[in-house]
Amino acid sequence: MKNTKNIRSTDTNAPILADLSFTVPLSDSNRQLADRFRCLHPEAQKANQIYRQLLALLSVEFYCNCMGIPNQLEHSDSWNFIQQTLSDSAALPLTNIGVLECCLVRDAEPIVEGSAEAFENRFGYIAVSFSPSYDEAYLVGFRKHLSTEHTPLSEWDSLEMFLDAIETATRTPPHVQLQGWLQHQFEPGWKLVSQAIESSETAVVFRKPPSHRGIERIKYLEFSNGQQIGLQVGVYPTQAEEIDVCVRIVPPEDRVLPVDLQVSVLDAEETIVMHARSRETRTLRLEFSIEPQEVFKLKLQHQSLTFTEIFAF
Amino acid sequence: MDDEQLTQLAIEAQQHPPNSKARQTALTRLISGLLSSKRLIYPSAPGLSADRYRDYRAEALQNLFYYICQFIDRYDSDRASVVRWVNMLLDRRFFREVSQQETQQNQRFFAKSFDDAQISLREMQRILELERPFLSERIYRCIEEDIDDIFKTDAVHKQPQANFQAIALRRLDGYSWQHISQELGVKMSTLCGFYQRALKKNAPILLDSIQNLEY
């Protein structure tokens, strides 16, 4: 559904209120903060862009705070002047949801500027415009996807779609953050792999020893029929930015896995990337590599029972 | 929007649980409606300059709106219209609070931007005070000189011509992504994806080298 009513009046940038939009009263300290970064950039056009982007970022943060959407403004790359200089993107990290790009609406016409650097790896896009003296910011549009650098504001949805997308995102189970694992932060339920399992595993399963030690954790799952299995995930940093991931499905103690247990790895678009099925086997094992920002899903199926866990790196 | 409509929005927000989409939607409409209704008061503040008054009121409105969103359940529609409740809060609480305290939050982000490389703000200010070359020129030179051969070797997989140095310098020279994509023969999405990751990785290195740059 595209919103066509969001056409702004000619004498002001303020949106017409038929569609869901939000107005932020900008304070002097907001403007001062943006101004201090503006001064770092000698070229007027770039300096002006930074000023507007930072005000947009602060406005979107304010809206998220009002709506109770947790975010990490201090972790935005936009505060880093190297990244300010070398990038056109301004993005607000939303905790456990993704990165929200803040796009500027041109002053003279209802055209929204998007950075090609931000066409991927974004949760969504918010369009922000300002009053002439920058004492108000208007959050006037949202898009889930963006693929062109200039889009008419009329092709943007209202904030209602943003709230919809947030609702959908927070309804799905939280991601297991593998980046956190590398810093020894683990989600509840992920336990140390006991030495016993570790040694017998290594003997039975590993064809080649891992090139270097990684982090391995196990979560015990119980199907509703009482059947227990262990989901063991290992992450191994590599020289490159990607990490190797090894997933093993292990039975409790000395038993074997239930017959016809299936495990699949799915990507963010729900496409099955890898698949394995047990036949009286002791373990199932899948190995693959993932890149930063990548999301994958592990799906276990046994008869009519399913268990899914989402991982992000 | 009149008082009655605004009050209805407040009541609607109260009927849905916190963080639900229905409550968020009603609150968004309420805040925007309050502002556009022009019914929010201007508390009296004798002796305050016009500029300062405007700043204080904007700050007070931010705090007020945040409060309304958090504590809409404290509003009692049997006692007053929502406009009266909000104006009472603005007058007796938020405007006074702002005019009685100086805010210091600005410092936090400005300092943060340099935290990662452990540069003190003082050191940064020293760099900033040097009139020439500007920071962006220093960044340009560091990428161009690339004394440790880091930026020219960090490239798109099997496309050595599409390296961080080549892309960053073209971006600084103002070339569009489309142009760079054609020139280097790499798809725009691949190029942008690579550049985003490479920039994150190389930013700390750059920060380091712009300080050590000799002129």
Side-chain angles (χ1 to χ4, degrees), chain A residues 175-191 193 214-219 231-237 243 245-246 296 298 309-313:
Chain A
H175 296 184
V176 176
Q177 300 288 341
L178 295 179
Q179 194 69 55
W181 283 29
L182 298 178
Q183 284 135 35
H184 293 271
Q185 292 159 0
F186 303 97
E187 288 75 13
W190 289 93
K191 301 193 168 82
V193 180
I215 309 249
E216 290 165 347
R217 288 266 153 162
I218 190 162
K219 185 173 183 172
L231 171 60
Q232 186 180 332
V233 174
V235 293
Y236 312 92
I243 54 167
V245 177
C246 179
F296 69 91
L298 279 183
E309 184 95 62
I310 305 172
F311 296 78
F313 174 51

Side-chain angles (χ1 to χ4, degrees), chain A residues 17-18 20-33 36-37 39-40 42 62-63 65-69 73-74 77 79-83 85-89 116-117 119-120 122 136 149 159-160 163-164 167 241 291, chain B residues 19 21 24-25 27-29 31-32 35-36 54-55 58-59 61-62 65-66 69 103 105-107 109-110 112-114 124-125 128 134-136 139 143 164 168 171-172 177 188-189 192 195-197 199-201 203 206-207 210:
Chain A
L17 284 168
L20 200 62
S21 61
F22 192 78
T23 302
V24 180
L26 290 172
S27 68
D28 195 45
S29 52
N30 296 147
R31 286 186 296 269
Q32 276 178 22
L33 176 59
R36 292 176 77 172
F37 284 95
C39 296
L40 300 181
F62 179 71
Y63 181 58
N65 289 345
C66 284
M67 294 299 112
I69 301 164
L73 179 66
E74 66 280 12
D77 290 336
W79 302 117
N80 180 313
F81 74 88
I82 301 272
Q83 271 148 294
T85 307
L86 289 169
S87 172
D88 279 340
S89 151
E117 294 158 49
F119 289 166
E120 284 175 33
R122 291 293 183 271
E136 285 185 344
E149 287 174 313
L159 285 187
E160 186 146 14
L163 298 176
D164 261 340
E167 190 183 40
E241 279 199 314
E291 291 193 353
Chain B
N19 296 331
K21 190 199 153 195
Q24 290 168 333
T25 307
L27 288 173
T28 303
R29 286 195 199 286
I31 302 290
S32 295
L35 267 174
S36 68
R54 207 191 52 204
D55 297 338
E59 191 103 37
L61 286 180
Q62 280 191 1
F65 291 166
Y66 183 65
C69 291
T103 49
Q105 59 167 359
N106 264 358
Q107 205 65 27
F109 292 118
F110 198 68
K112 157 72 193 154
S113 144
F114 313 113
M124 200 57 231
Q125 232 110 39
L128 293 178
F134 265 115
L135 272 174
S136 54
I139 293 173
I143 298 174
F164 179 73
R171 284 301 289 165
L172 285 173
W177 279 111
M188 201 161 102
S189 57
C192 288
Y195 183 69
Q196 278 257 307
R197 287 195 296 273
L199 180 54
K200 230 180 173 56
K201 192 171 64 181
L206 269 169
L207 192 55
I210 57 161

Side-chain angles (χ1 to χ4, degrees), chain B residues 11-185:
Chain B
I11 294 170
E12 196 187 323
Q14 290 175 334
Q15 285 166 348
H16 301 281
N19 296 331
S20 65
K21 190 199 153 195
R23 179 184 281 227
Q24 290 168 333
T25 307
L27 288 173
T28 303
R29 286 195 199 286
L30 174 63
I31 302 290
S32 295
L34 282 169
L35 267 174
S36 68
S37 74
K38 311 276 180 206
R39 301 269 286 117
L40 294 175
I41 53 153
Y42 288 78
S44 75
L48 218 53
S49 74
D51 275 356
R52 194 150 262 208
Y53 186 90
R54 207 191 52 204
D55 297 338
Y56 283 179
R57 188 166 178 274
E59 191 103 37
L61 286 180
Q62 280 191 1
N63 297 343
L64 170 69
F65 291 166
Y66 183 65
Y67 179 92
I68 295 173
C69 291
Q70 288 233 296
F71 299 112
I72 190 66
D73 293 320
R74 294 188 185 171
Y75 165 60
D76 182 355
S77 55
D78 291 338
R79 291 179 54 192
S81 73
V82 77
V83 173
R84 267 194 70 184
W85 180 63
V86 166
N87 276 331
M88 189 270 293
L89 283 168
L90 178 59
D91 185 31
R92 298 210 199 133
R93 177 163 173 186
F94 290 101
F95 192 80
R96 277 185 209 175
E97 270 178 19
V98 169
S99 44
Q100 280 160 14
Q101 77 194 16
E102 286 298 316
T103 49
Q104 293 185 330
Q105 59 167 359
N106 264 358
Q107 205 65 27
R108 63 179 175 150
F109 292 118
F110 198 68
K112 157 72 193 154
S113 144
F114 313 113
D115 269 0
D116 294 343
Q118 271 132 34
I119 307 183
S120 69
L121 195 57
R122 184 190 300 256
E123 173 71 0
M124 200 57 231
Q125 232 110 39
R126 194 186 61 77
I127 298 176
L128 293 178
E129 276 159 16
L130 302 171
E131 261 196 27
R132 295 228 143 238
F134 265 115
L135 272 174
S136 54
E137 291 164 33
R138 285 170 176 262
I139 293 173
Y140 194 101
R141 255 190 69 182
C142 284
I143 298 174
E144 197 175 31
E145 284 175 5
D146 192 13
I147 39 174
D148 296 317
D149 282 347
I150 293 171
F151 308 135
K152 61 171 90 63
T153 51
D154 188 6
V156 176
H157 186 59
K158 290 191 178 161
Q159 306 272 356
Q161 82 286 5
N163 58 66
F164 179 73
Q165 184 191 51
I167 304 168
L169 293 182
R170 280 167 179 77
R171 284 301 289 165
L172 285 173
D173 282 333
Y175 287 106
S176 70
W177 279 111
Q178 222 153 7
H179 177 99
I180 303 172
S181 158
Q182 275 167 10
E183 189 190 338
L184 300 178

